[in-house]
Amino acid sequence: MTLTRTPHSDVDLFSDEVLVDPYPVYRDLRERGGAVHLSALDVWAVPRYADVRRALGDPATFSSSGIALNEPVNQMLVGSVLASDPPLHDALRAVLSEQLGPRAVRPLQAGIADRADRLVEAMIEQGAFDAVTDLAVAFPFSVVFDLIGIPDEVRPKMLGWADATFTVFGPMNGRTAAGLGAIGEMFGWLGTLRAEDLAEGSMGRAVFTAADQGRIAPESCIPLLSAYTAAGLDTTINAIANAVHLLATHPEQWDLVRADPGLVPSTLNEVLRHDAPVQGFGRRVTTEVEIDGTTIAAGSQVLLLYGSGNRDERHYADPDRFDVTRNPVDHLSFGYGTHTCAGQALARIEAQSVIAALAGRVRRFHLGEPVRHLNNVVRGLERLPVEGLELG
Ligand code: HEM
């Protein structure tokens, strides 16, 4: 088959214009086919729900050694949970699951809900605030830093590091090049860490304990710690920011949540479906594979577009509509299969606590102009000014 007959597109998925609003481009890609060759990058985009899910369920064919769209970062991530395939992956993941699984985090629920209530109360007292910096960033920072046991002095650096961690998964563009410096700094700091630097009883300390017990290799400690510091922050931050934005701009949906707090879990699922915090991750194809009638050669780089699969009209009716009663439990925003998000139980507790705390107090939000944050992978906001609240 010649390239002209193969579904392809010249679009730059990582340009500023597309990052601001990728959804029309995703729709176009879905119409072109189940696998679309992105000529500018020599990458195969996989934009439809069913194909993304099938690929995520087949790690032997779709290897995470190609999680990033550039080789320097894939090399940097060798040995990390995110970039490894079974069986190494499963040994690393077991350590995380012990700490982050639903049973492990359930006891944290009441304390996290209490923190959310206190933070929201403080915002209400302030009257005007920025829902990104004062709420969406401040909240996961306070929760996750304490859980991992991170020393106070590095906390201010973390936001830049967390943002860079995701942007460098993109192609080698300006954003990735700029992010590499921050990543180097983060790994430099992680490399100096000893068990006793992390608070006793913390999740971070448990990683060193697992190495002491011989369950993981000592050299796995740093990549595993980076999974906490990086994966757990920017994702949750932007899920919360997107939630406030969507709920404030859809007052009729907000009224439904306020009338029935039982809708909070469904609301979060719909926020995550509507605007996936992680828009997509890469995979490398290990053997020749066919997607929707298109043959993809062994060794090719693919990009699984979670953000597009979540808007696939083949899977969700009226997918661009934000509907808190939809409860799309099968959305792709936490991935699926082997690498499905290890921190999703914690993320759900955090984000649901914030939504519930707001629902109990705020009738209407009056927003200023939101500013989008541009990152190669994460969809979220830089600023979301809340200029006033109606309470009740
Ligand atoms: C709303 C918030 C979050 C979103 C949207 C999210 C999204 C994702 C996605 C899409 C993956 C799959 C990666 C793949 O397909 O290769 C993933 C994996 C992962 N996430 Fe999350 N995440 C969130 C919160 C968290 C939190 C709070 C933590 C930890 C504190 C965390 C830790 C991880 C780890 C360790 C992995 C790697 C799992 C593996 O490779 O087996 N995430 N996340």
Side-chain angles (χ1 to χ4, degrees):
M1 196 186 287
T2 63
L3 204 59
T4 45
R5 294 177 136 224
T6 303
H8 68 283
S9 167
D10 296 332
V11 72
D12 178 2
L13 271 186
F14 301 92
S15 66
D16 289 6
E17 308 84 277
V18 176
L19 291 181
V20 167
D21 182 13
Y23 298 114
V25 174
Y26 289 163
R27 180 183 290 267
D28 173 69
L29 293 177
R30 289 194 300 273
E31 279 164 13
R32 285 171 193 255
V36 182
H37 189 252
L38 301 177
S39 331
L41 296 174
D42 190 18
V43 166
W44 291 90
V46 180
R48 294 181 186 165
Y49 181 95
D51 301 310
V52 172
R53 199 167 152 116
R54 206 172 303 122
L56 289 173
D58 181 5
T61 308
F62 293 90
S63 162
S64 287
S65 59
I67 183 109
L69 299 189
N70 69 84
E71 261 330 279
V73 170
N74 282 325
Q75 287 308 316
M76 205 183 284
L77 290 172
V78 167
S80 71
V81 67
L82 207 54
S84 57
D85 295 318
L88 171 64
H89 167 268
D90 300 356
L92 298 171
R93 168 97 187 197
V95 177
L96 290 175
S97 303
E98 251 165 46
Q99 301 290 319
L100 286 170
R103 206 170 314 146
V105 298
R106 203 168 298 130
L108 307 173
Q109 185 151 8
I112 292 176
D114 187 50
R115 278 186 195 224
D117 281 337
R118 279 186 280 130
L119 184 59
V120 166
E121 284 290 348
M123 292 302 104
I124 287 174
E125 255 170 55
Q126 244 172 265
F129 59 96
D130 189 302
V132 176
T133 46
D134 297 335
L135 187 63
V137 172
F139 189 61
F141 263 38
S142 79
V143 172
V144 173
F145 286 171
D146 286 353
L147 285 178
I148 307 170
I150 292 188
D152 288 342
E153 59 277 14
V154 291
R155 294 183 179 202
K157 296 223 168 227
M158 267 303 166
L159 185 59
W161 290 351
D163 178 54
T165 311
F166 281 94
T167 224
V168 302
F169 283 95
M172 193 46 86
N173 59 13
R175 263 182 287 276
T176 298
L180 284 173
I183 298 295
E185 211 183 40
M186 181 179 85
F187 277 105
W189 168 69
L190 284 168
T192 65
L193 270 185
R194 293 154 310 153
E196 50 276 26
D197 296 327
L198 299 169
E200 210 164 320
S202 66
M203 291 183 178
R205 190 77 168 254
V207 168
F208 284 99
T209 309
D212 286 345
Q213 292 167 342
R215 294 169 51 218
I216 56 170
E219 59 272 22
S220 293
C221 285
I222 304 306
L224 262 182
L225 284 169
S226 75
Y228 285 109
T229 52
L233 291 171
D234 225 30
T235 47
T236 318
I237 289 168
N238 287 297
I240 293 173
N242 292 341
V244 177
H245 185 225
L246 283 166
L247 291 164
T249 52
H250 293 78
E252 75 298 344
Q253 298 292 316
W254 185 230
D255 287 343
L256 295 176
V257 185
R258 278 173 48 81
D260 177 6
L263 279 178
V264 169
S266 160
T267 301
L268 176 62
N269 281 330
E270 179 65 348
V271 166
L272 292 171
R273 182 198 70 81
H274 195 273
D275 280 303
V278 176
Q279 290 280 300
F281 272 140
R283 294 290 191 267
R284 178 156 304 123
V285 173
T286 55
T287 52
E288 185 177 281
V289 66
E290 199 176 291
I291 299 180
D292 186 35
T294 297
T295 302
I296 300 185
S300 300
Q301 175 74 49
V302 300
L303 171 61
L304 305 178
L305 288 170
Y306 311 145
S308 173
N310 282 344
R311 298 280 193 114
D312 188 350
E313 39 293 282
R314 292 157 196 79
H315 191 74
Y316 294 111
D318 200 2
D320 295 335
R321 189 164 52 87
F322 176 65
D323 174 1
V324 298
T325 65
R326 188 195 297 263
N327 200 17
V329 288
D330 59 352
H331 65 71
L332 296 167
S333 294
F334 287 126
Y336 169 75
T338 310
H339 289 274
T340 187
C341 178
Q344 62 181 285
L346 177 61
R348 282 183 204 280
I349 293 177
E350 290 182 71
Q352 289 178 7
S353 299
V354 172
I355 296 171
L358 290 167
R361 296 165 175 85
V362 176
R363 192 154 46 82
R364 284 287 178 270
F365 302 84
H366 296 288
L367 297 185
E369 199 51 46
V371 179
R372 255 226 177 266
H373 179 65
L374 301 188
N375 178 297
N376 284 332
V377 168
V378 170
R379 179 161 179 79
L381 295 162
E382 181 84 40
R383 279 195 298 282
L384 182 59
V386 177
E387 293 174 346
L389 296 170
E390 288 172 39
L391 304 179

